[in-house]
Amino acid sequence: MVNPDFLKTPELASYNVRGSRPVAGVEKLCYLTDTVTDNGIWEEINPLDSKLPIFIFQLAIVLFVTRLCLLLLKPIRQPHFAAELLAGILVGSTAIASEFVRKHIPALGSIFAASRIMMMETVGKIGLIYHVFLIGLEMDLKALTSVGPKALGIGISGALFPFFFGASLYTFITEYPENFKWGCLYWGVALSVTGLPVIAEIFAKLKLLHSEIGRIAMSSALVNDFSSWVLLILSLAITSSNSNAYLSLFSAILFIIFSFFVIRPALLWSIRKTREGEDYSEATVCTILTMVLAFGLITDICGLSSVLGAFVFGLIIPPDLLGHRFVLMLQGFASDLLLPLYYASFGMRTHLGGFNGEDMLIMVLVSFLSFIPKIVCTIAISYFYRMSLHEGFTLGVLMNTKGLIAVMAVSLGRDHTVMNEDGFAIMLFTVFFMTIATSPIVNFLYRRTKKFLPSQHRVLQNLKPDAELRILTCIHEVQTVTGITALLEISHASRRSPICVFALQLMQLKKHTTALLIVHGTGGTSSESISRVDGQIDQLIAAFNNLEHQSPMLSIQLLTAISPYATMHEDICSLAEEKQVTLIILPFHKRQTIHNNMEEMNPAYKDVNNNTLATAPCTVGILVDRGFGTFLPTKIDVGKTWRYRIVMIFIGGGDDREALAYALRMARHPKVALTVLRFILDENSAQNGDANLSLTMEAQGEADKQADDILVNEFRHKVQNDVSVVYIEEKSSNGAETVKIIRSLGQDFDLYMVGRGLRFFSPLKGGLDEWNDCPELGSIGDLLLTSDFSSIASILVVHRHIELNLESSTQENSIL
């Protein structure tokens, strides 16, 4: 039966205006409220007596403590959730709002008085509603259909078994009054939850996202997250309406079905119709934000919780429909600004400081016991699928990672008066302890035992002619794909020497990367990592599918790495180590404009390139793309048409020899015309101009000189009958002459190939290193990039890693 007092006007505390006369038969009434003044310190009024100044003080303190906790927990790689939860506890009655602080700092006692936290709680719950909407918005239900049986079993068992364990633990740990018996449901939900965003953040910081354990854990966490929502809905239906629980559950299910099959199609049609280019109109954005609250109101009326309606509204909208920009703006306001108030509001009701030694012992015991159910069921499922005990235990620890839903569950149990303050505090401490313990345990189990060690077998020059070439290409922006695919095409994948490409899409890890699910593909170009952060993944798949179709002996595997820019090079190097890659191709941090100038895309890209060059275990190439792959075929010889015209500038050293080895492989491609320009030192002229030549030659070393001669002679012998290859020698005595000869090449080439050569000193480059603006390109590469150089051809700079055994350079194998 519907409540007869539903929507009845509540009685407000009011008073009659003294001496007033009725107007139109209605007596004037005013409701009691606090006075808000605009005169500030110029009036004898305490600003802490007004609601708005009090709320601003509360918001400032909460945000300060939250940012401080984030800063302190960052070095130990703790997730954002742990820092925000800790900040909420500290702001609450445990520390800042405790009786001790209230006594010694009256201002804080006035700001966080029990009668003055109502606005903070209200605004915090609005932030919670919008945050849960974002969780639903970034959760792709289609991904549930592509998880394997292993992840499905771990996810479902990891939700059900801990749910019953938590409910049983609640009833046995202590005796509660009769009206608190249903609190066991919320304890069970809190223990069944696995925080998907928190696991994604932990794996990204530990560089395990692309590993096998990462893929299984992310898939299992998604299944577990969805199962936990179902358990939470059931718990809310049972505890919200007492004897009419079935009516609440039935109305909620009916509303969810109506939302998916009626509201969703109408909403999608309306959003697509009102979209203005790449953005939405103000009316559309306002309508979406209002509907989030409207959905929350409907589920609240049904007897459940407003967060359920916000979550459902997020689910019915496709993840990529609203766009990345809309999501970022809403995250910054709702999740970063308002959500910390929610943590602080329940921290005000958590009195951890009032527990005695026995109570603390119970809290610690419950925390340790709560790890058991998920570890046991995960190990059992892992054993059934023949996984190792080490992997099963690690997955079990990871599945114990908690998130916002766990905190929300125990908070709802307290708000529905089915859980007392002691039960709430014990489970809140358990959630916090389980979350902060996950990261160090996983880090210990998967700690790195070695750095990325370079190997002399991971260079192009030492690669056998019939060996497979493994290339790792890195992609920041989709605009760089054209040049990279053209470079891969002319790398000449043949039946004798096929090429395996790992195309790694690099994305910055943000706090709210929740839609992070690793999905296995059956084809070579399937994505191992599908991220809904932006809509570029489909374009990448199409581009590499086309390349794979044109080159049958070239196989491509598309992956995604999501991590902070400061540690992104670790993802690149660890993947190169795991896949036994010989060559890493990085895009330059600048791109060509329509006026043939170079503009910077993102300063962080340069740091990623420099860090990769310093730590890579194999050869690295930096591609400065200025339209490579977009030129039309040009006839440069009678009866022969080549599409790509490449010139390789050879001065000497390990980097140049590596570049020449790569150029020789390209020369075998039928669409490539290669010109090799080798500079020879004019010793007579150089000695007349530089008395220190002998010292320079000694620094250069005879070993490098001999290796250069051997390699070039083998190259000339191999290509002597190839009309598409031209070999030229030019004499030079200093850097100025070298620059002059390079400029005389003109604009007849599409790609310049050079070695980085920072470790190779030669009079041929004299004076060039001092004017190097881009050290990652070397002196010659930087020269080709300058605005006063007439050519606008693309540039490939090759860098060979530093070998541990320096004597091995004298015993290099033939590139042939």
Side-chain angles (χ1 to χ4, degrees):
M1 181 177 179
V2 179
N3 182 10
D5 295 329
F6 179 65
L7 295 182
K8 182 179 179 180
T9 304
E11 295 183 1
L12 298 176
S14 59
Y15 62 95
N16 292 329
V17 180
R18 195 173 289 181
S20 62
R21 296 181 179 179
V23 179
V26 180
E27 190 174 3
K28 294 182 179 179
L29 295 177
C30 297
Y31 65 91
L32 298 175
T33 183
D34 292 340
T35 302
V36 179
T37 178
D38 293 329
N39 296 326
I41 62 175
W42 310 115
E43 295 287 342
E44 294 182 358
I45 297 177
N46 186 358
L48 297 183
D49 290 337
S50 303
K51 288 186 173 65
L52 184 59
I54 283 290
F55 174 74
I56 293 175
F57 272 115
Q58 292 171 345
L59 180 61
I61 294 173
V62 169
L63 293 181
F64 173 77
V65 175
T66 301
R67 292 299 165 182
L68 181 62
C69 291
L70 287 170
L71 182 63
L72 295 177
L73 295 184
K74 184 178 180 179
I76 56 177
R77 296 183 176 182
Q78 288 297 328
H80 283 74
F81 167 73
E84 292 172 339
L85 181 57
L86 177 61
I89 296 175
L90 293 178
V91 171
S93 302
T94 303
I96 294 180
S98 62
E99 294 183 3
F100 177 82
V101 175
R102 292 169 186 264
K103 180 178 179 181
H104 292 82
I105 308 178
L108 289 178
S110 178
I111 292 174
F112 291 102
S115 59
R116 293 180 169 177
I117 63 173
M118 183 62 68
M119 181 177 290
M120 184 178 70
E121 288 187 349
T122 303
V123 177
K125 288 185 178 179
I126 293 177
L128 173 67
I129 290 174
Y130 281 112
H131 181 81
V132 173
F133 161 70
L134 291 174
I135 293 177
L137 182 65
E138 296 182 347
M139 182 177 292
D140 189 4
L141 292 181
K142 294 181 180 179
L144 289 172
T145 61
S146 39
V147 298
K150 186 191 308 182
L152 190 64
I154 293 175
I156 295 179
S157 63
L160 295 179
F161 189 41
F163 176 81
F164 293 110
F165 179 86
S168 303
L169 188 63
Y170 179 86
T171 57
F172 286 106
I173 199 68
T174 183
E175 294 183 0
Y176 293 108
E178 182 67 21
N179 59 322
F180 291 143
K181 66 178 181 178
W182 291 114
C184 62
L185 298 177
Y186 294 95
W187 265 42
V189 172
L191 291 186
S192 69
V193 168
T194 296
L196 176 61
V198 182
I199 285 185
E201 188 177 353
I202 291 175
F203 269 111
K205 291 181 178 180
L206 297 179
K207 307 303 174 187
L208 294 173
L209 276 176
H210 59 268
S211 63
E212 183 66 21
I213 191 75
R215 288 188 285 267
I216 298 175
M218 293 302 299
S219 302
S220 303
L222 178 67
V223 176
N224 186 280
D225 212 15
F226 186 77
S227 303
S228 299
W229 273 103
V230 175
L231 294 174
L232 180 61
I233 293 173
L234 294 175
S235 301
L236 287 171
I238 293 174
T239 59
S240 298
S241 301
N242 297 325
S243 59
N244 294 328
Y246 65 94
L247 291 178
S248 296
L249 184 60
F250 176 77
S251 59
I253 294 176
L254 187 63
F255 172 70
I256 293 174
I257 295 175
F258 182 79
S259 299
F260 272 93
F261 294 99
V262 179
I263 299 180
R264 174 186 166 92
L267 185 64
L268 296 184
W269 176 82
S270 176
I271 291 178
R272 291 192 177 100
K273 184 178 180 180
T274 57
R275 186 166 186 172
E276 300 176 352
E278 295 297 327
D279 298 322
Y280 295 96
S281 63
E282 295 182 1
T284 303
V285 174
C286 183
T287 301
I288 293 173
L289 298 179
T290 305
M291 290 189 67
V292 175
L293 300 178
F295 269 57
L297 176 63
I298 293 174
T299 52
D300 208 1
I301 292 176
C302 292
L304 298 176
S305 174
S306 56
V307 295
L308 174 61
F311 179 71
V312 172
F313 185 65
L315 284 180
I316 66 175
I317 301 178
D320 54 350
L321 181 64
L322 296 182
H324 186 42
R325 184 178 177 184
F326 173 84
V327 174
L328 282 181
M329 289 190 297
L330 185 57
Q331 285 172 346
F333 176 73
S335 302
D336 294 332
L337 184 66
L338 302 184
L339 189 62
L341 294 175
Y342 172 74
Y343 290 103
S345 65
F346 65 72
M348 297 296 299
R349 302 185 183 185
T350 306
H351 306 277
L352 296 180
F355 285 86
N356 54 32
E358 182 179 355
D359 295 331
M360 295 300 297
L361 181 62
I362 293 177
M363 295 173 68
V364 174
L365 179 63
V366 171
S367 300
F368 278 101
L369 290 177
S370 300
F371 274 96
I372 296 177
K374 288 207 175 191
I375 292 178
V376 171
C377 66
T378 304
I379 290 178
I381 298 296
S382 302
Y383 177 78
F384 178 78
Y385 285 100
R386 299 181 179 179
M387 296 176 60
S388 64
L389 181 63
H390 178 268
E391 292 179 337
F393 180 77
T394 305
L395 279 174
V397 173
L398 286 167
M399 296 299 288
N400 277 296
T401 305
K402 302 303 175 186
L404 177 63
I405 301 178
V407 174
M408 191 174 62
V410 293
S411 180
L412 288 172
R414 182 201 59 195
D415 294 342
H416 285 79
T417 65
V418 295
M419 183 187 302
N420 64 358
E421 297 298 329
D422 291 342
F424 172 77
I426 291 174
M427 184 49 61
L428 187 64
F429 176 81
T430 301
V431 169
F432 177 72
F433 176 79
M434 296 175 72
T435 302
I436 64 173
T438 302
S439 183
I441 293 176
V442 177
N443 190 27
F444 173 78
L445 293 175
Y446 278 86
R447 66 184 185 276
R448 301 190 186 278
T449 58
K450 64 176 181 178
K451 296 182 179 179
F452 306 117
L453 300 179
S455 169
Q456 56 180 306
H457 300 291
R458 304 276 292 282
V459 291
L460 293 168
Q461 185 179 348
N462 295 341
L463 193 67
K464 296 181 179 180
D466 57 347
E468 179 188 50
L469 175 60
R470 290 175 169 250
I471 301 177
L472 172 62
T473 64
C474 300
I475 303 167
H476 291 287
E477 299 183 6
V478 72
Q479 292 84 356
T480 62
V481 175
T482 303
I484 291 177
T485 53
L487 186 64
L488 293 175
E489 180 186 358
I490 63 175
S491 296
H492 190 54
S494 61
R495 187 177 301 275
R496 183 184 182 192
S497 180
I499 296 178
C500 179
V501 177
F502 302 95
L504 183 64
Q505 185 185 18
L506 299 174
M507 293 183 178
Q508 182 186 11
L509 174 68
K510 302 182 185 301
K511 174 184 173 183
H512 304 285
T513 306
T514 57
L516 185 61
L517 175 66
I518 308 299
V519 180
H520 295 279
T522 56
T525 57
S526 298
S527 174
E528 267 190 277
S529 178
I530 296 179
S531 175
R532 297 297 179 181
V533 178
D534 55 31
Q536 296 183 354
I537 191 68
D538 294 334
Q539 301 180 47
L540 296 180
I541 293 177
F544 286 110
N545 271 335
N546 185 44
L547 175 62
E548 200 171 27
H549 178 73
Q550 295 177 358
S551 304
M553 301 310 300
L554 190 147
S555 60
I556 301 175
Q557 191 174 9
L558 186 61
L559 307 102
T560 301
I562 303 180
S563 59
Y565 285 128
T567 59
M568 194 170 284
H569 66 283
E570 296 181 12
D571 280 327
I572 299 172
C573 295
S574 61
L575 185 61
E577 183 84 13
E578 178 186 346
K579 303 298 184 181
Q580 294 295 302
V581 169
T582 305
L583 174 64
I584 299 175
I585 299 177
L586 301 173
F588 191 52
H589 67 278
K590 294 182 179 181
R591 61 186 169 192
Q592 185 87 356
T593 65
I594 59 176
H595 303 292
N596 294 330
N597 297 322
M598 299 298 294
E599 65 174 5
E600 196 167 40
M601 292 185 290
N602 191 333
Y605 297 168
K606 182 177 181 179
D607 296 333
V608 173
N609 290 349
N610 289 330
N611 293 332
T612 305
L613 287 170
T615 58
C618 60
T619 299
V620 178
I622 298 181
L623 177 63
V624 183
D625 185 13
R626 297 199 281 191
F628 187 60
T630 60
F631 299 102
L632 295 176
T634 303
K635 290 190 176 183
I636 61 176
D637 197 13
V638 179
K640 187 68 176 180
T641 301
W642 291 283
R643 182 178 178 183
Y644 302 98
R645 301 160 298 170
I646 303 173
V647 58
M648 192 272 145
I649 301 175
F650 188 93
I651 294 178
D655 293 346
D656 281 18
R657 293 194 296 271
E658 193 72 357
L660 182 60
Y662 195 20
L664 176 62
R665 185 181 184 98
M666 293 181 179
R668 296 166 181 160
H669 196 281
K671 295 182 180 180
V672 171
L674 173 64
T675 299
V676 176
L677 174 60
R678 185 189 185 187
F679 285 90
I680 304 295
L681 180 63
D682 189 352
E683 298 184 5
N684 295 329
S685 300
Q687 286 179 351
N688 293 332
D690 188 359
N692 297 323
L693 174 64
S694 58
L695 296 177
T696 305
M697 294 298 296
E698 290 179 3
Q700 176 181 342
E702 289 296 327
D704 272 325
K705 191 172 184 300
Q706 292 177 6
D708 292 344
D709 293 338
I710 293 174
L711 184 68
V712 171
N713 290 334
E714 291 183 355
F715 171 80
R716 296 182 63 182
H717 176 74
K718 187 65 178 179
V719 301
Q720 60 183 349
N721 297 323
D722 193 344
V723 296
S724 65
V725 179
V726 177
Y727 175 80
I728 304 174
E729 287 187 355
E730 294 285 351
K731 287 187 177 182
S732 174
S733 59
N734 52 52
E737 292 185 8
T738 302
V739 173
K740 182 179 180 181
I741 295 173
I742 294 177
R743 285 182 175 177
S744 66
L745 293 173
Q747 302 186 21
D748 294 333
F749 300 99
D750 304 323
L751 177 67
Y752 282 88
M753 293 185 63
V754 297
R756 190 182 182 207
L758 289 185
R759 304 185 304 270
F760 182 77
F761 302 96
S762 171
L764 296 170
K765 302 188 299 180
L768 298 180
D769 294 334
E770 288 77 5
W771 302 96
N772 197 345
D773 294 331
C774 298
E776 66 270 28
L777 300 182
S779 56
I780 303 299
D782 184 71
L783 170 68
L784 297 172
L785 191 63
T786 55
S787 57
D788 57 343
F789 193 75
S790 59
S791 176
I792 58 172
S794 300
I795 307 167
L796 178 64
V797 180
V798 179
H799 169 81
R800 175 174 175 169
H801 63 74
I802 302 175
E803 296 179 358
L804 298 180
N805 184 9
L806 297 179
E807 297 179 356
S808 63
S809 61
T810 63
Q811 302 176 352
E812 291 173 338
N813 297 330
S814 170
I815 63 174
L816 309 177

